[in-house]
Amino acid sequence: MKAIYPGSFDPVTFGHLDIISRAAKQVDHLVVAVLHNPDKKGLFTLEEKVELLKEVTKNIENVEIDSFSGLLSDYATQKNCSTMIRGLRATTDLEYEMQMALTNRKLNKEIDTLFMVSSSEYSYLSSSTVRQIAMFGGKVSCFVPKVVEDALKDKFEEAYDNGRRA
Ligand code: ADP
């Protein structure tokens, strides 16, 4: 079975990696697909997010990193894949995730979304929290792999250099 794990991954955290490595054990091939949303300016560019994901998943053989823009349902058709993986951290994720899953199935009736419950140690972890901590120079090594930590440092050093922060 092949599955797609779509998301923003801005940036990839240990929470995402936990889902990726566990999902990869359950399927033959896992496509981690970074959503390109031109209306939403993230911290990392699409290319940077893809590169970081490639680096941190390089030892998992059946994982492919890709990106897409537009509708996930169209991307699923293009990839010839109808199984989506999403992570659930807490019940607060549930409402949004159910809405997305039902919408995607309405758009493409072949699509089914499988939810994987986060490991308890990552159930509080989100990319936005990591970005905020890094923005204020906090330690993020327990939330993200080293290569992501370094990339975050580079991002915020750049911001300092450009005088964008006080
Ligand atoms: P999106 O903007 O599409 O929600 P994210 O990158 O924030 O993209 O998340 C992608 C997927 O990974 C979502 O299903 C989200 O619930 C899940 N996820 C994010 N952080 C964690 C975590 N700490 N543990 C488990 N799943 C997570």
Side-chain angles (χ1 to χ4, degrees), residues 113-127:
T113 305
L114 306 185
F115 293 108
M116 293 190 66
V117 174
S118 160
S119 294
S120 55
E121 64 265 46
Y122 303 127
S123 62
Y124 61 90
L125 185 54
S126 68
S127 297

PDB file of all heavy atoms in Angstrom, residues 113-127:
ATOM      1  N   THR A 113      -8.682   8.938   4.752  1.00  0.00           N
ATOM      2  CA  THR A 113      -7.625   9.490   5.613  1.00  0.00           C
ATOM      3  C   THR A 113      -7.453   8.593   6.831  1.00  0.00           C
ATOM      4  O   THR A 113      -8.430   8.288   7.514  1.00  0.00           O
ATOM      5  CB  THR A 113      -7.998  10.916   6.059  1.00  0.00           C
ATOM      6  OG1 THR A 113      -8.251  11.699   4.891  1.00  0.00           O
ATOM      7  CG2 THR A 113      -6.863  11.554   6.857  1.00  0.00           C
ATOM      8  N   LEU A 114      -6.231   8.172   7.061  1.00  0.00           N
ATOM      9  CA  LEU A 114      -5.923   7.368   8.242  1.00  0.00           C
ATOM     10  C   LEU A 114      -5.231   8.268   9.261  1.00  0.00           C
ATOM     11  O   LEU A 114      -4.300   8.994   8.911  1.00  0.00           O
ATOM     12  CB  LEU A 114      -4.988   6.204   7.877  1.00  0.00           C
ATOM     13  CG  LEU A 114      -5.427   5.288   6.736  1.00  0.00           C
ATOM     14  CD1 LEU A 114      -4.439   4.128   6.586  1.00  0.00           C
ATOM     15  CD2 LEU A 114      -6.822   4.723   6.998  1.00  0.00           C
ATOM     16  N   PHE A 115      -5.700   8.206  10.489  1.00  0.00           N
ATOM     17  CA  PHE A 115      -5.110   9.051  11.531  1.00  0.00           C
ATOM     18  C   PHE A 115      -4.176   8.239  12.407  1.00  0.00           C
ATOM     19  O   PHE A 115      -4.506   7.122  12.800  1.00  0.00           O
ATOM     20  CB  PHE A 115      -6.211   9.670  12.394  1.00  0.00           C
ATOM     21  CG  PHE A 115      -7.053  10.655  11.628  1.00  0.00           C
ATOM     22  CD1 PHE A 115      -8.353  10.348  11.274  1.00  0.00           C
ATOM     23  CD2 PHE A 115      -6.521  11.871  11.240  1.00  0.00           C
ATOM     24  CE1 PHE A 115      -9.124  11.242  10.544  1.00  0.00           C
ATOM     25  CE2 PHE A 115      -7.283  12.767  10.515  1.00  0.00           C
ATOM     26  CZ  PHE A 115      -8.583  12.460  10.163  1.00  0.00           C
ATOM     27  N   MET A 116      -3.039   8.823  12.686  1.00  0.00           N
ATOM     28  CA  MET A 116      -2.106   8.185  13.609  1.00  0.00           C
ATOM     29  C   MET A 116      -1.974   9.066  14.836  1.00  0.00           C
ATOM     30  O   MET A 116      -1.734  10.272  14.725  1.00  0.00           O
ATOM     31  CB  MET A 116      -0.738   8.014  12.952  1.00  0.00           C
ATOM     32  CG  MET A 116      -0.803   7.019  11.804  1.00  0.00           C
ATOM     33  SD  MET A 116       0.814   6.585  11.184  1.00  0.00           S
ATOM     34  CE  MET A 116       1.510   5.736  12.578  1.00  0.00           C
ATOM     35  N   VAL A 117      -2.148   8.455  15.984  1.00  0.00           N
ATOM     36  CA  VAL A 117      -2.065   9.223  17.229  1.00  0.00           C
ATOM     37  C   VAL A 117      -0.596   9.480  17.549  1.00  0.00           C
ATOM     38  O   VAL A 117       0.233   8.568  17.485  1.00  0.00           O
ATOM     39  CB  VAL A 117      -2.770   8.458  18.371  1.00  0.00           C
ATOM     40  CG1 VAL A 117      -2.574   9.170  19.699  1.00  0.00           C
ATOM     41  CG2 VAL A 117      -4.246   8.304  18.059  1.00  0.00           C
ATOM     42  N   SER A 118      -0.320  10.720  17.848  1.00  0.00           N
ATOM     43  CA  SER A 118       1.028  11.150  18.189  1.00  0.00           C
ATOM     44  C   SER A 118       1.577  10.359  19.380  1.00  0.00           C
ATOM     45  O   SER A 118       0.814   9.981  20.269  1.00  0.00           O
ATOM     46  CB  SER A 118       0.919  12.635  18.544  1.00  0.00           C
ATOM     47  OG  SER A 118       1.984  13.055  19.299  1.00  0.00           O
ATOM     48  N   SER A 119       2.878  10.133  19.412  1.00  0.00           N
ATOM     49  CA  SER A 119       3.482   9.568  20.625  1.00  0.00           C
ATOM     50  C   SER A 119       3.343  10.603  21.733  1.00  0.00           C
ATOM     51  O   SER A 119       3.429  11.811  21.466  1.00  0.00           O
ATOM     52  CB  SER A 119       4.958   9.264  20.382  1.00  0.00           C
ATOM     53  OG  SER A 119       5.071   8.241  19.421  1.00  0.00           O
ATOM     54  N   SER A 120       3.130  10.128  22.946  1.00  0.00           N
ATOM     55  CA  SER A 120       2.788  11.068  24.030  1.00  0.00           C
ATOM     56  C   SER A 120       3.839  12.159  24.220  1.00  0.00           C
ATOM     57  O   SER A 120       3.509  13.299  24.521  1.00  0.00           O
ATOM     58  CB  SER A 120       2.544  10.311  25.327  1.00  0.00           C
ATOM     59  OG  SER A 120       3.658   9.516  25.616  1.00  0.00           O
ATOM     60  N   GLU A 121       5.105  11.818  23.991  1.00  0.00           N
ATOM     61  CA  GLU A 121       6.154  12.840  24.232  1.00  0.00           C
ATOM     62  C   GLU A 121       6.122  13.980  23.219  1.00  0.00           C
ATOM     63  O   GLU A 121       6.757  15.009  23.426  1.00  0.00           O
ATOM     64  CB  GLU A 121       7.547  12.212  24.311  1.00  0.00           C
ATOM     65  CG  GLU A 121       8.059  11.544  23.054  1.00  0.00           C
ATOM     66  CD  GLU A 121       7.807  10.039  23.026  1.00  0.00           C
ATOM     67  OE1 GLU A 121       6.676   9.608  23.343  1.00  0.00           O
ATOM     68  OE2 GLU A 121       8.741   9.302  22.675  1.00  0.00           O
ATOM     69  N   TYR A 122       5.385  13.780  22.106  1.00  0.00           N
ATOM     70  CA  TYR A 122       5.313  14.849  21.096  1.00  0.00           C
ATOM     71  C   TYR A 122       3.907  15.432  20.969  1.00  0.00           C
ATOM     72  O   TYR A 122       3.641  16.217  20.060  1.00  0.00           O
ATOM     73  CB  TYR A 122       5.763  14.313  19.731  1.00  0.00           C
ATOM     74  CG  TYR A 122       7.142  13.722  19.759  1.00  0.00           C
ATOM     75  CD1 TYR A 122       7.384  12.440  19.291  1.00  0.00           C
ATOM     76  CD2 TYR A 122       8.208  14.454  20.274  1.00  0.00           C
ATOM     77  CE1 TYR A 122       8.661  11.893  19.335  1.00  0.00           C
ATOM     78  CE2 TYR A 122       9.480  13.910  20.333  1.00  0.00           C
ATOM     79  CZ  TYR A 122       9.693  12.623  19.863  1.00  0.00           C
ATOM     80  OH  TYR A 122      10.947  12.088  19.912  1.00  0.00           O
ATOM     81  N   SER A 123       3.031  15.062  21.857  1.00  0.00           N
ATOM     82  CA  SER A 123       1.627  15.440  21.671  1.00  0.00           C
ATOM     83  C   SER A 123       1.388  16.934  21.850  1.00  0.00           C
ATOM     84  O   SER A 123       0.331  17.439  21.500  1.00  0.00           O
ATOM     85  CB  SER A 123       0.732  14.634  22.605  1.00  0.00           C
ATOM     86  OG  SER A 123       1.089  14.936  23.915  1.00  0.00           O
ATOM     87  N   TYR A 124       2.354  17.646  22.392  1.00  0.00           N
ATOM     88  CA  TYR A 124       2.216  19.097  22.596  1.00  0.00           C
ATOM     89  C   TYR A 124       2.992  19.880  21.517  1.00  0.00           C
ATOM     90  O   TYR A 124       2.968  21.105  21.501  1.00  0.00           O
ATOM     91  CB  TYR A 124       2.795  19.482  23.978  1.00  0.00           C
ATOM     92  CG  TYR A 124       4.263  19.129  24.062  1.00  0.00           C
ATOM     93  CD1 TYR A 124       5.236  20.054  23.683  1.00  0.00           C
ATOM     94  CD2 TYR A 124       4.669  17.856  24.436  1.00  0.00           C
ATOM     95  CE1 TYR A 124       6.584  19.711  23.676  1.00  0.00           C
ATOM     96  CE2 TYR A 124       5.998  17.502  24.435  1.00  0.00           C
ATOM     97  CZ  TYR A 124       6.941  18.434  24.060  1.00  0.00           C
ATOM     98  OH  TYR A 124       8.266  18.090  24.033  1.00  0.00           O
ATOM     99  N   LEU A 125       3.705  19.165  20.661  1.00  0.00           N
ATOM    100  CA  LEU A 125       4.695  19.815  19.789  1.00  0.00           C
ATOM    101  C   LEU A 125       4.109  20.267  18.454  1.00  0.00           C
ATOM    102  O   LEU A 125       3.425  19.505  17.780  1.00  0.00           O
ATOM    103  CB  LEU A 125       5.830  18.802  19.548  1.00  0.00           C
ATOM    104  CG  LEU A 125       7.056  19.255  18.771  1.00  0.00           C
ATOM    105  CD1 LEU A 125       7.674  20.502  19.385  1.00  0.00           C
ATOM    106  CD2 LEU A 125       8.076  18.123  18.731  1.00  0.00           C
ATOM    107  N   SER A 126       4.387  21.518  18.086  1.00  0.00           N
ATOM    108  CA  SER A 126       3.939  22.005  16.775  1.00  0.00           C
ATOM    109  C   SER A 126       5.042  22.848  16.152  1.00  0.00           C
ATOM    110  O   SER A 126       5.893  23.405  16.854  1.00  0.00           O
ATOM    111  CB  SER A 126       2.665  22.840  16.916  1.00  0.00           C
ATOM    112  OG  SER A 126       2.969  24.041  17.594  1.00  0.00           O
ATOM    113  N   SER A 127       5.008  22.950  14.831  1.00  0.00           N
ATOM    114  CA  SER A 127       6.005  23.767  14.127  1.00  0.00           C
ATOM    115  C   SER A 127       5.917  25.223  14.578  1.00  0.00           C
ATOM    116  O   SER A 127       6.938  25.900  14.708  1.00  0.00           O
ATOM    117  CB  SER A 127       5.774  23.700  12.617  1.00  0.00           C
ATOM    118  OG  SER A 127       5.946  22.402  12.148  1.00  0.00           O
TER     119      SER A 127
END
